[in-house]
Amino acid sequence: MPRPDTLADLDPTRAAAPSAFETSPAAADTIGWGVLGAGRFTSRMATTIAGTPGHRVVRVGARGLDRAAALADQVGAVAGDYEGLWADPEVDVVYISTTHPFHEEQALASIAAGKAVLVEKPMTLTADSARRIAEAARAARVFAMEAMWLRHQELMRAVLAEVRAGAIGEVVSVQADFGAYRAYDPENRLFDRDNGGGALLDLGVYAAAFAWPFLGRPDVVQVVGALTPQGSDHTAAMQWGYDDGRFAQLTATFRASSPGRGVVTGTQGWISVEPHYAKAPGLALVHDRASGETRELHRPSRGYVCQVEEVGRCLRAGLLQSPDMPLDDTIGVLEVLDRARAALGVEYPTR
């Protein structure tokens, strides 16, 4: 089912058709996870899954069995290779946490094995790759979602509710920055174009995912930036334009650290998600233009737990995608990032 592009048209009741999981006996039991990958940051998500009621890590699969075993020991799981994970009947959903270029083939293999998938951001290198995952998941009637955790945070949900209720009038613009200083190192994956490195996919994807539910698909994408000697994007500043005059200004860079503030401006006020909007924020400021008053909107930060709970909620409800992070949002954001990278002259090698 096509997804709407704008906030006003987003109807969670139409998110997806029922899945096979809804009528499975497992739906009432603990959800079993397979963790595919055992890199440096994967343990954060794996331990969150293991510590969330109603969820458990069943298997950890990785190319390096020593790393898989070390992570499996942390979360009380079995270690092995990818094939063992896909074949395990106790695995209901696979969390894919390898590097970007491998997401598509691993997600497709998981779906072919009948598993739901949660794919770490960015879901894939390109929109075409993400579209293939979405098509495969829909055909197999299994759940699929990009692990864009900011969209499941309680504060983000509260901000969206404020905007839907008209707290700031009609949305006119969104601004979001994400700068994280990293000394240039050609050996670091973040700068390795051949491995999907670059500021847009590692940082800019957050800014784009923040702006998307408020503005939807832009009509015009303008970008300025700078490349590393390897040809990856070191800095990117995007301006999205809309035929009706709305706009977004989104920045991503490894050259400097930035506050990480997300601001939604409307005809009757503004909402500022205080730094850092992409790192489990807990505070937003809601300003009313007419009264001149600013009120604070507080929600506790719960880290990755919200994301794990959303997967469980969707599986038990028989949804094929999350209304918080629908597949068409993921694809649409990647389409815009594809356009931005093309304008900068960034090309990924064909694998």
Side-chain angles (χ1 to χ4, degrees), residues 41-76:
F41 296 104
T42 309
S43 63
R44 299 180 187 178
M45 182 65 176
T47 54
T48 298
I49 294 168
T52 302
H55 299 262
R56 69 186 180 105
V57 180
V58 175
R59 274 187 175 264
V60 177
R63 288 179 297 182
L65 294 183
D66 289 345
R67 289 188 296 117
L71 180 54
D73 285 345
Q74 290 183 40
V75 295

Side-chain angles (χ1 to χ4, degrees), residues 17-227:
S19 71
F21 194 95
E22 186 177 22
T23 56
S24 166
D29 300 330
T30 298
I31 292 172
W33 288 72
V35 174
L36 202 157
R40 196 155 52 100
F41 296 104
T42 309
S43 63
R44 299 180 187 178
M45 182 65 176
T47 54
T48 298
I49 294 168
T52 302
H55 299 262
R56 69 186 180 105
V57 180
V58 175
R59 274 187 175 264
V60 177
R63 288 179 297 182
L65 294 183
D66 289 345
R67 289 188 296 117
L71 180 54
D73 285 345
Q74 290 183 40
V75 295
V78 174
D81 56 19
Y82 297 160
E83 288 71 20
L85 184 153
W86 289 322
D88 193 327
E90 294 189 23
V91 172
D92 300 306
V93 55
V94 178
Y95 168 59
I96 297 172
S97 183
T98 53
T99 52
H100 314 338
F102 298 98
H103 288 179
E104 180 188 355
E105 64 184 76
Q106 292 165 349
L108 292 177
S110 300
I111 292 166
K115 312 300 186 185
V117 292
L118 176 67
V119 187
E120 192 50 70
K121 67 84 197 165
M123 178 174 268
T124 52
L125 291 177
T126 67
D128 283 344
S129 290
R131 197 172 291 111
R132 286 190 286 271
I133 292 174
E135 290 170 354
R138 287 163 178 158
R141 299 186 63 74
V142 299
F143 175 84
M145 187 176 82
E146 180 183 28
M148 180 53 68
W149 66 313
L150 80 87
R151 292 280 287 270
H152 308 291
Q153 296 301 319
E154 293 181 11
L155 183 67
M156 186 67 173
R157 288 169 171 165
V159 168
L160 284 166
E162 291 274 346
V163 173
R164 289 191 182 107
I168 60 171
E170 296 180 11
V171 173
V172 175
S173 69
V174 174
Q175 295 172 297
D177 65 278
F178 199 156
Y181 176 74
R182 297 291 185 271
Y184 175 65
D185 177 1
E187 301 299 320
N188 190 320
R189 186 207 62 79
L190 295 175
F191 300 105
D192 184 0
R193 180 177 58 89
D194 293 351
N195 205 17
L200 277 170
L201 285 190
D202 276 276
L203 305 178
V205 67
Y206 284 107
F210 177 84
W212 194 271
F214 300 107
L215 293 174
R217 187 185 308 277
D219 298 303
V220 176
V221 178
Q222 299 171 319
V223 60
V224 295
L227 306 184

Side-chain angles (χ1 to χ4, degrees), residues 218-248:
D219 298 303
V220 176
V221 178
Q222 299 171 319
V223 60
V224 295
L227 306 184
T228 69
Q230 292 173 286
S232 60
D233 44 298
H234 208 172
T235 291
M238 291 185 290
Q239 179 148 298
W240 296 359
Y242 297 79
D243 292 342
D244 60 6
R246 294 174 299 145
F247 64 95

Side-chain angles (χ1 to χ4, degrees), residues 311-333:
V311 172
R313 185 190 72 81
C314 289
L315 289 179
R316 292 189 172 95
L319 301 182
L320 300 183
Q321 60 181 324
S322 165
D324 286 343
M325 193 62 216
L327 292 168
D328 281 357
D329 280 21
T330 292
I331 294 167
V333 164

